[in-house]
Amino acid sequence: MAEAPLKIAVVGHTNTGKTSLLRTLTRDPSFGQVADAPGTTRHVEGVRLAAGHDAIVEWYDTPGMEDSIALLEYLDRLDEPGARLDGPARVRRLLDSPEARGRFEQEARVLAKLLDCDAALYVIDARDPVLGKHRDELSLLAACGRPLLPVLNFVQAPAHRAQAWRDAMARLGLHAVLEFDTVAPPLDGEQRLYGRLGMLLHSHSATLERIADALGQQRSQRRIDACRVAADLLIDAAALRLTVANDADALAAATETLREQVRLREQAAAQALLALYNFRPGDYASDALPLSGERWNMDLFHPHALKDMGVRLGMGAAAGAMAGGAVDLAVGGLSFGAGMLIGAAAGGLWQGVGQLGQRIAGRLRGHRELSVDDAVLRLLALRQRQLIQALERRGHAAREPLRLDQPADDAWRKAPLPDALAEARSRPAWSALNAHHDDDDRRKQKVAELAQRLAQGMETGAPTE
């Protein structure tokens, strides 16, 4: 027989971010309604978190409490002389009164749901001062006899009063306080929340610990999957080559074709990352590029975009081509000649001979090749890493489009590019942007290796070797 789900109410004063918290905990940006106006949530709304076919936790979003001072006074007036009712009994008597269906209807919904739950999160806007109405709210909620976990929201705001709230909670005997900003939650915020609930609900501690462990594993797997998306983009870009006749008009047209292919490929990767983290396309500032804003509103191939990220172009013809322009075969390291072909044949590299032979023959016919400069690959990697890290730290209640800062590490700017990208340079078939794309086992292996190294770099800031 399946274990009954744990029921937890999310309660608090109006407009403190209760619905926002549930959006982040459920990774559902469409749950409920979020607005700056008070009293946005008017009814109790529920959502289930499941493992397999079994619901483990049922969360309940409740209306904001607005008139706790008057309600507490009314509750005192209901007390009969000589009656010694405990807190839950007093609350139930309140719920049976006419005022529970009139003046205090909204607060009555909150208290009725809390009586039906195992525990509650008391959500606090840490920017607000501690007032008497908050203490009265807590008195009413405590009367329900259910464990309360105060959750300090908006602690990333510059003028928050988190310490004052901690002091106030301690004076009320609530010492297990959690900071959880719904717009920018800590990476392990969900795990810490379930861990604190486990301290308050000993009989459910095993279930809550299981949830916390599962969330940690899911977070790690999401990062690996995200880095695989980024690695696949980088392999596609590194292996991309266009062969074009050696005249100015053809080179200009092919250069723009190459750039547009890479731009669109980067956009596709960004969309894949947004979907992976369960965000909407509008969660970043829409533009021709997947990342925008003042810092990002520049062309991927423009020297200013590279300069802004601290990435330098290479030397010689590649630099003169402005990161993605015409790079002839000699610059690409492909001026092999007959001696190289003979040596490759002697080594048994017949497949490589065929490919190199075609490319050298093209050069002899006056053709040139276009490829993506190393500097652009560095910029792509930096932007993908930043996007992944920003999505990991973004709450599903955030409403402002994503804005990114310049990364602090120099790893992808200056260190040698990973071997996987160097190998992709010599394998045009590895790019899904080229004709005759071949996602062979070797490519899959290199994508996996590059993804793993990108994931490790997220923790250390180090480049891949």
Side-chain angles (χ1 to χ4, degrees):
M1 183 176 178
E3 181 182 354
L6 181 63
K7 296 181 179 181
I8 303 175
V10 180
V11 300
H13 199 68
T14 184
N15 211 35
T16 57
K18 297 181 294 296
T19 303
S20 296
L21 177 62
L22 282 178
R23 285 188 172 187
T24 297
L25 291 178
T26 60
R27 309 190 66 81
D28 182 359
S30 63
F31 175 80
Q33 183 178 355
V34 172
D36 291 328
T40 303
T41 300
R42 309 301 297 181
H43 303 280
V44 175
E45 297 184 54
V47 62
R48 287 187 171 191
L49 293 184
H53 298 292
D54 298 327
I56 296 181
V57 178
E58 291 181 355
W59 289 102
Y60 293 95
D61 190 15
T62 65
M65 301 181 72
E66 297 178 341
D67 201 4
S68 56
I69 296 175
L71 178 55
L72 192 59
E73 292 175 352
Y74 177 68
L75 183 63
D76 290 338
R77 290 201 302 271
L78 286 179
D79 287 342
E80 299 174 359
R84 295 194 175 186
L85 300 178
D86 62 12
R90 294 181 71 210
V91 172
R92 289 189 177 93
R93 186 174 58 188
L94 166 67
L95 297 177
D96 289 335
S97 71
E99 293 288 8
R101 293 176 292 281
R103 179 184 176 186
F104 301 118
E105 181 180 10
Q106 186 160 303
E107 285 79 7
R109 290 195 184 106
V110 178
L111 298 174
K113 178 47 65 178
L114 182 51
L115 286 173
D116 186 49
C117 288
D118 299 290
L121 305 183
Y122 179 68
V123 182
I124 299 165
D125 186 339
R127 300 169 297 185
D128 291 340
V130 183
L131 301 175
K133 63 182 180 181
H134 299 117
R135 297 185 181 92
D136 288 344
E137 283 173 3
L138 284 165
S139 295
L140 288 165
L141 296 169
C144 293
R146 302 293 185 267
L148 288 175
L149 174 62
V151 177
L152 298 178
N153 193 11
F154 304 115
V155 290
Q156 296 298 321
H160 70 77
R161 298 178 171 90
Q163 189 56 52
W165 277 102
R166 284 183 174 277
D167 294 342
M169 294 299 102
R171 287 194 294 271
L172 293 170
L174 297 170
H175 299 279
V177 179
L178 178 73
E179 293 187 2
F180 191 105
D181 194 299
T182 58
V183 174
L187 283 178
D188 61 344
E190 294 171 277
Q191 294 167 266
R192 288 162 54 190
L193 185 147
Y194 284 104
R196 294 289 175 86
L197 282 173
M199 294 168 56
L200 298 177
L201 295 166
H202 181 70
S203 61
H204 297 276
S205 60
T207 297
L208 293 164
E209 183 178 355
R210 190 165 71 248
I211 294 173
D213 290 342
L215 287 170
Q217 294 170 10
Q218 291 169 15
R219 179 164 60 88
S220 297
Q221 187 59 52
R222 267 194 306 273
R223 175 175 283 185
I224 289 293
D225 293 342
C227 289
R228 188 180 292 272
V229 169
D232 199 59
L233 162 66
L234 291 171
I235 292 291
D236 275 350
L240 175 61
R241 287 189 179 274
L242 298 181
T243 302
V244 61
N246 192 15
D247 68 75
D249 291 341
L251 284 171
T255 296
E256 186 52 40
T257 296
L258 178 142
R259 291 176 177 178
E260 186 64 15
Q261 284 183 297
V262 177
R263 292 184 191 112
L264 293 175
R265 182 65 183 84
E266 187 188 20
Q267 287 182 356
Q271 291 297 328
L273 290 174
L274 287 166
L276 175 63
Y277 285 90
N278 207 29
F279 288 107
R280 297 165 294 196
D283 282 329
Y284 67 82
S286 176
D287 199 77
L289 299 175
L291 308 176
S292 64
E294 288 185 4
R295 182 176 300 280
W296 299 97
N297 198 13
M298 289 183 287
D299 191 290
L300 174 67
F301 289 89
H302 197 285
H304 283 286
L306 296 164
K307 180 181 178 181
D308 192 54
M309 291 291 285
V311 176
R312 295 182 179 180
L313 283 171
M315 302 299 292
M322 281 181 56
V327 184
D328 66 20
L329 292 174
V331 173
L334 298 173
S335 54
F336 295 104
M340 176 62 183
L341 291 176
I342 293 170
L349 303 176
W350 293 106
Q351 182 179 1
V353 168
Q355 293 171 349
L356 295 176
Q358 292 174 8
R359 295 165 73 182
I360 291 172
R363 187 179 182 223
L364 294 176
R365 291 195 299 268
H367 291 173
R368 301 179 75 185
E369 283 193 344
L370 306 183
S371 64
V372 177
D373 191 87
D374 282 1
V376 175
L377 294 179
R378 294 179 187 278
L379 180 56
L380 281 171
L382 284 167
R383 291 186 352 176
Q384 290 291 298
R385 289 182 64 210
Q386 279 190 285
L387 179 55
I388 293 169
Q389 290 172 321
L391 291 175
E392 287 185 337
R393 290 168 171 79
R394 180 180 176 87
H396 287 73
R399 288 183 285 162
E400 291 297 321
L402 191 61
R403 306 285 179 182
L404 304 180
D405 296 322
Q406 187 173 12
D409 66 274
D410 288 332
W412 274 94
R413 294 189 187 96
K414 299 177 180 179
L417 288 177
D419 291 341
L421 297 183
E423 184 172 346
R425 287 285 197 201
S426 65
R427 294 178 180 265
W430 278 11
S431 179
L433 304 175
N434 286 332
H436 311 298
H437 170 56
D438 183 12
D439 187 19
D440 59 21
D441 290 341
R442 179 71 176 175
R443 184 186 186 280
K444 290 184 175 70
Q445 176 188 342
K446 290 301 174 182
V447 168
E449 290 177 3
L450 185 55
Q452 184 63 40
R453 290 173 176 174
L454 282 166
Q456 293 170 351
M458 298 285 185
E459 300 290 348
T460 64
T464 57
E465 296 295 337

